[in-house]
Amino acid sequence: MDNDMNTPTTAEAEVAHDFPGLIRVFTDGRIQRFKGTDVVPPSTPTTHPVSSKDITLHPHSTLSARLFLPPPPSTNTTNHRRKLPLLVYFHGGGFCTSSPFTSTYHHYIAAVAAVAKLVVVSVEYRLAPEHPIPAAYEDSWAALQWVASHRSNNGQEPWLNENVDFGRVFLAGDSAGANIVHNLTMLLGDPDWDIGMDILGVCLVHPYFWGSVPVGSETMDLDKKAVVDRLWPFVCPESPDNEDPRVNPVGEGAPSLAWLGCRRVLVCVAEKDVLRERGWIYYNALSRSGWIGVVQIEETHGEGHAFHLYDLASDKAQDFIKTLALFFNRDQPPSI
């Protein structure tokens, strides 16, 4: 409740939900987004020589993605071009803002594709509150199924058929996108959800996990905590409890992380991020879960949530992208 003693203006009186700097919803249904609303074409130049294009994943639907293709690796002596790993990426934005088509994500994903030398499918998914959870999960799962339809090199998209090594597929996302990645990978560990494509590794960047009981330093900034406390009920009104296992994967009653359907996990956290503690808890819980895989964690000191997206030219952002590239390219098979 607004404790300001001044009389609220008409506009203030009509606000139903307010997440400063993110989104505001009015009682008459109007929605005002404060970030992630710009759109740049795939031809927008970047600092890296990466090709990109937009595609619709399924006919008669709005599900779409932006594809990124770095320059092909050198051919070997037999003139066979080496295929590239594939990254399926899910953007952040609290489940309620942003898209792969913003300038921020266009330039960031182009940099990742170029430095890590992989093909990227950057997925667009429906946003809350117009499309509350589980819409984002449903769209992301459908996108992953679409990617898997190319595993025999006969899908609808030539860039995937011709350039991707489907033995080296990764999932990654930041914030809400990292939450999506976790939930998709849990499904992939269930034989009933087999899509015929293995996931080699996943990268959770500043993952949006939360819970109803504060942990660690979360109470040091009560304003930030209050905002995050309200986010899940806003984007998922059908299950508004912050103990929902989709947002608190280590809470009581959550499925065992031993089900995680991949072989390698990288968790990235930032020292000044209110979500930092949850990332560390997830890392420790996965390490102890009995999951058969390798998990590592990287913390960036002195930085806040999603710092790498907003100052891409900084040394720390460049180092961060190199960290991701090392993760994606570890155990890369030698050139023939």
Side-chain angles (χ1 to χ4, degrees):
M1 180 177 292
D2 190 350
N3 293 319
D4 193 331
M5 296 302 293
N6 296 323
T7 302
T9 66
T10 301
E12 289 172 336
E14 294 176 349
V15 173
H17 302 279
D18 191 13
F19 295 87
L22 192 67
I23 191 172
R24 180 179 294 150
V25 180
F26 297 88
T27 52
D28 63 3
R30 288 179 296 128
I31 295 173
Q32 184 178 13
R33 289 183 167 90
F34 299 103
K35 61 186 293 187
T37 58
D38 66 304
V39 175
V40 299
S43 57
T44 302
T46 69
T47 56
H48 299 278
V50 174
S51 302
S52 58
K53 66 177 177 180
D54 294 341
I55 59 168
T56 299
L57 304 189
H58 293 287
H60 316 299
S61 84
T62 59
L63 188 58
S64 59
R66 179 160 291 181
L67 271 57
F68 295 82
L69 180 67
S74 301
T75 55
N76 57 32
T77 54
T78 60
N79 206 34
H80 288 161
R81 188 172 65 183
R82 176 174 170 176
K83 292 194 171 184
L84 301 173
L86 174 67
L87 172 63
V88 186
Y89 196 87
F90 302 90
H91 67 82
F95 289 106
C96 58
T97 66
S98 206
S99 83
F101 313 124
T102 65
S103 176
T104 295
Y105 278 104
H106 176 76
H107 289 283
Y108 170 61
I109 297 301
V112 172
V115 175
K117 295 181 175 57
L118 40 68
V119 180
V120 184
V121 176
S122 186
V123 177
E124 170 81 323
Y125 53 83
R126 288 172 294 167
L127 300 175
E130 300 95 326
H131 305 283
I133 298 290
Y137 297 133
E138 293 170 348
D139 289 352
S140 300
W141 181 254
L144 197 56
Q145 289 178 304
W146 177 86
V147 168
S149 73
H150 295 76
R151 61 190 179 276
S152 298
N153 304 121
N154 59 358
Q156 74 179 57
E157 176 46 54
W159 278 16
L160 300 192
N161 293 334
E162 298 167 7
N163 297 284
V164 169
D165 173 3
F166 281 93
R168 299 185 60 78
V169 178
F170 296 88
L171 309 182
D174 61 277
S175 196
N179 176 294
I180 289 172
V181 168
H182 160 74
N183 283 288
L184 292 182
T185 313
M186 288 296 289
L187 282 181
L188 291 168
D190 185 337
D192 291 338
W193 293 85
D194 180 38
I195 59 173
M197 180 180 72
D198 290 335
I199 302 300
L200 178 53
V202 303
C203 182
L204 310 181
V205 178
H206 308 168
Y208 167 42
F209 297 138
W210 204 240
S212 58
V213 178
V215 296
S217 61
E218 288 175 358
T219 55
M220 293 179 64
D221 191 330
L222 293 178
D223 289 338
K224 283 185 179 179
K225 179 184 180 299
V227 170
V228 185
D229 281 343
R230 293 188 291 112
L231 183 58
W232 183 260
F234 172 65
V235 300
C236 188
E238 73 169 22
S239 179
D241 192 340
N242 276 309
E243 290 302 305
D244 186 306
R246 292 172 293 184
V247 73
N248 186 5
V250 301
E252 185 176 352
S256 171
L257 296 179
W259 280 97
L260 208 62
C262 66
R263 285 179 270 167
R264 291 201 268 119
V265 173
L266 171 63
V267 181
C268 299
V269 297
E271 181 184 13
K272 296 183 178 180
D273 184 2
V274 68
L275 302 178
R276 170 188 177 273
E277 303 280 357
R278 300 288 171 171
W280 273 102
I281 289 171
Y282 181 89
Y283 163 76
N284 288 321
L286 182 57
S287 300
R288 299 190 302 264
S289 69
W291 171 65
I292 307 297
V294 177
V295 58
Q296 66 186 96
I297 190 165
E298 296 283 345
E299 179 166 346
T300 304
H301 298 287
E303 298 292 344
H305 187 71
F307 73 92
H308 55 289
L309 294 176
Y310 307 112
D311 189 7
L312 197 55
S314 70
D315 288 343
K316 284 189 176 180
Q318 294 296 308
D319 288 344
F320 178 80
I321 291 173
K322 291 174 184 175
T323 296
L324 299 185
L326 287 172
F327 176 76
F328 296 136
N329 288 289
R330 185 178 308 143
D331 306 323
Q332 180 80 292
S335 298
I336 299 174

